[in-house]
Amino acid sequence: MYINKFILGIGASLLTIGAIQAQENNPLDISRYSDSDMNGTARFRGMSGAFGAVGGDLSALKINPAGGAIFNYNQATFSLSVVNKNNKVDYMNQTQSKNYTGVEVGQVGAIFVFNSNSPSAFMKKFTVGFNYESTKNLNNDYNMLGTGQGTSLGEYFYQAAAANKIPHAILNSSNIHQGYMDAGYYEGFAGQQAFLGYEGFIINPGEKDGEYTRNYGKNTDIYTQGKYVSSSGHNSKFSGNFSAQLGDRIFVGGNLNLHVYDYTQTSHAVERNHSNLDKDMIESIEFSNYLYTYGTGFSLNLGVIGQVTDQLRAGVAYESPTWYNLHDELTQGVQTMRFNNKDGRSIYPDVVNIYERYKLKTPAKYTGSLAYIFNQRGLISVDYGIRDHKGSTFRPKNDHTYSALNEFYTAEMKVASELRIGAEYRVKQVSFRAGYRYEESPYKNIKYSGDLNSFSAGIGYEFGNSRLDFAYSHSARDYKTSLLDLTVNNLYDNGTWKMKENWFSLSYNISF
């Protein structure tokens, strides 16, 4: 297959249109950049990430980087995870289930401790650490399908053509490949959607230039509609940590983080009209979109931990926004079938749209922590964090579509809180762990993503200078998802997507 790469400007950016959909129907468009799986070492996961004032764990450094100064020995850790995602989507009173299971390297890192040789030194020690973590596992598969009255998929193509008054001449081409490219060159993304609808016989030219008529069913018709989505990729982070112990009771630290984002999504929206139609009208539509988003980001962390008493520690940490530079690539295609004579059309231009680079700033986060350590046998830890999701910002701001998107975040998103509680108890060489995590929805009104609830448990066994840890965690969250992820208007009803995740993590830890 010959695939042509075609560059479109910011004004026609896929991300802009796709992200506007995130305002209304697709919460993952923004959450997959800022959400975290709380992945990391099995000890960290076993306590649900409640490590802000505990420290002494490589994954704890992402919560409060001052925790590096609590290490007493050089240490290295390798972690492997198995994840199972159970997806159920309710749409038009019907439920579709789909599972995903995969394996990933959750964490790899090491930290080195440098002690002062002078008992009177203000800096008792400092540490240097390096860590890799999979921040967000983006692999998943889910389906939604239902039957009932609804808006036809054809309305998407009609709106793209009629609302933007796409000239008829732009859509007339003897070559699908070249015609799709020309439509994008002269009329941007809307022109391409109009071209697909026109070539698929979904819309017809009207009497006046820029006007169009519908060649599909009415909103009162009975449709079977749905979509099939498969995604793959990751949001990963490479961190460098420096921390120090100042005096006997103060620990400070900071991280510099490089984020790597790589995401692919294949989506097929499908429809069949069960009503009687004229023979030339479209009975069924399949609209395919292949999206690839990639880029890098930068962030930093700062933190301090105070040894209030011999048993009580308190910590405060700041996680900066992540500043991303991102790119989108999109390939599209449409298949249609007429009602009576079953004449089919397949429109696959074999063109990869490459959109100009854009920038995204995710919101900052603040975390306060307390940890109580009793008899050197166990501990209880609590972290409370807040993140202002109104701070999500796309750039350039002077582009009207990015500006509209930023206005949505300011109006519809809010400050959301997160609570993590963890406990550990040691019996000889065995450590038992448990935890709970609650994360509030970032949306004010319609919960495009709901509250997250998670619990965890784990066990560790020490032998010599090594330790083997195992953890299990379960989380559940509801989302809203739509028939199309590219619609600018609220054309289609939302389905309710319930996702439950089960994680099994194993870590090997060695001190040296």
Side-chain angles (χ1 to χ4, degrees), residues 401-462:
T401 46
Y402 288 115
S403 176
L405 185 58
N406 293 333
E407 288 175 4
F408 167 80
Y409 288 126
T410 300
E412 296 297 329
M413 302 193 83
K414 66 180 183 180
V415 177
S417 60
E418 181 181 13
L419 175 68
R420 297 187 300 274
I421 303 172
E424 181 180 57
Y425 189 76
R426 182 173 176 176
V427 179
K428 296 183 179 180
Q429 296 171 284
V430 181
S431 298
F432 300 94
R433 307 178 184 110
Y436 172 76
R437 175 189 175 202
Y438 168 81
E439 186 175 305
E440 185 182 11
S441 170
Y443 293 91
K444 289 181 181 178
N445 299 312
I446 299 175
K447 303 301 184 185
Y448 300 107
S449 64
D451 299 340
L452 178 141
N453 283 279
S454 175
F455 63 84
S456 61
I459 189 170
Y461 180 77
E462 289 190 8

Side-chain angles (χ1 to χ4, degrees), residues 82-101:
V82 176
V83 58
N84 171 261
K85 300 181 182 181
N86 176 264
N87 302 282
K88 290 185 178 181
V89 183
D90 294 323
Y91 182 63
M92 292 185 178
N93 298 316
Q94 297 182 44
T95 301
Q96 295 287 314
S97 298
K98 185 77 172 178
N99 290 339
Y100 166 82
T101 301

Side-chain angles (χ1 to χ4, degrees), residues 257-278:
N257 309 306
L258 171 66
H259 301 256
V260 178
Y261 187 86
D262 190 274
Y263 176 74
T264 301
Q265 183 190 81
T266 300
S267 177
H268 302 281
V270 297
E271 167 183 294
R272 183 182 178 187
N273 192 326
H274 295 286
S275 305
N276 288 322
L277 303 169
D278 293 339

